[in-house]
Amino acid sequence: MPDSSASDTSLHEQVLLEARHLGKRVSAPDGDLILLQDIDLRLAAGASLAITGPSGSGKSTLLGLLAGLDTPSSGEVWLGGKPFSALTEDARARRRGELCAFVFQDFHLVGDLSALENVMLPLELQRAPDAAQRARAWLDRVGLGHRTGHFPATLSGGEQQRVALARAFAVAPQLLFADEPTGSLDHANSARVRDLLFELNRETGAALILVTHDAPLAERCERHLCLDEGRIREQSAPVRRPRP
């Protein structure tokens, strides 16, 4: 299980992710379409960043570039102190697998696997010898130890998202990308997932990058970046919160 000592404030002195003059454009019939322009950001280890903005502002494009799922037209991304966006697709995938995990709005659970098997899956891909034990421990941590044998179709949306959180944190990522993690949940489940995200952020020291329309979720992040038409229009100062 996670060790709370991993969230020591010294983690914040390390730059985990950096975007330098990041831009993205695509060809269109009437000329190039600019999706992102001159984005600069830095994320420290253990920190949290919310990315908000209206639909079409470039949030998902930016998340894809930061995660190495796409490549920029200009600028560069560094991950873990090393060049990232300049790597080949296979090399980016390997690096991403070593350092990152993902949570999505639609959960992305495997329908014919139980909750336990879904959490075990990335651990088995890493050939972890204690995959089942670790998966059970993480399902206990998110309050689903009694649902290990249940399949996604028999779980509520909030339960499915908690399984997704257990699956993401089970691989001990240094950075978690979350794309609208509360977007398909009701108020009560949204609040529970918000609490879990930041509890696990503190306990494990994993940094968070959240793309969201959920204002209460964005407000809990230490930094808040607002995109509009592919540019940073607003960026709040870091929120200084005591870390246990």
Side-chain angles (χ1 to χ4, degrees):
M1 287 297 291
D3 179 358
S4 61
S5 65
S7 62
D8 187 90
T9 53
S10 63
L11 284 172
H12 275 14
E13 299 172 2
Q14 307 167 19
V15 176
L16 178 61
L17 182 73
E18 184 174 7
R20 303 175 180 175
H21 307 296
L22 205 61
K24 182 67 177 180
R25 63 180 64 207
V26 295
S27 297
D30 54 351
D32 285 353
L33 177 63
I34 298 174
L35 303 180
L36 291 172
Q37 299 184 68
D38 202 28
I39 302 294
D40 289 300
L41 65 85
R42 300 175 79 194
L43 182 74
S48 56
L49 169 67
I51 301 172
T52 64
S55 297
S57 60
K59 300 186 302 298
S60 294
T61 300
L62 177 56
L63 190 73
L65 293 177
L66 295 175
L69 301 172
D70 194 6
T71 55
S73 303
S74 58
E76 57 185 350
V77 177
W78 284 55
L79 177 63
K82 299 179 181 179
F84 183 49
S85 56
L87 298 175
T88 66
E89 183 175 353
D90 287 346
R92 292 198 309 273
R94 287 193 297 271
R95 186 75 171 144
R96 187 166 54 242
E98 292 168 355
L99 297 180
C100 305
F102 293 83
V103 172
F104 301 95
Q105 177 176 347
D106 295 325
F107 322 129
H108 287 201
L109 300 180
V110 181
D112 57 355
L113 297 182
S114 68
L116 180 64
E117 290 167 336
N118 266 282
V119 180
M120 287 175 62
L121 183 59
L123 294 169
E124 291 178 327
L125 292 174
Q126 292 182 348
R127 300 183 180 179
D130 55 348
Q133 180 181 353
R134 286 168 61 180
R136 288 182 187 278
W138 274 102
L139 285 169
D140 282 338
R141 176 63 189 82
V142 300
L144 292 174
H146 62 301
R147 302 282 264 169
T148 57
H150 289 251
F151 291 86
T154 68
L155 300 173
S156 70
E159 288 172 332
Q160 289 185 66
Q161 193 61 296
R162 282 187 279 152
V163 173
L165 285 174
R167 180 181 60 187
F169 281 97
V171 297
Q174 293 186 36
L175 174 59
L176 176 71
F177 292 99
D179 191 358
E180 297 287 2
T182 59
S184 59
L185 303 181
D186 60 27
H187 178 76
N189 279 307
S190 292
R192 186 163 192 176
V193 167
R194 284 185 217 118
D195 288 344
L196 268 174
L197 271 169
F198 288 96
E199 287 171 13
L200 297 177
N201 163 247
R202 289 190 298 269
E203 290 175 12
T204 68
L208 303 178
I209 293 185
L210 313 174
V211 166
T212 184
H213 286 96
D214 183 344
L217 179 61
E219 289 168 1
R220 292 181 67 168
C221 289
E222 293 174 334
R223 297 176 63 198
H224 180 188
L225 180 155
C226 183
L227 285 178
D228 186 17
E229 296 183 349
R231 291 184 177 271
I232 297 175
R233 300 298 188 189
E234 172 187 343
Q235 189 166 0
S236 67
V239 177
R240 303 299 181 186
R241 294 189 177 94
R243 303 179 73 85

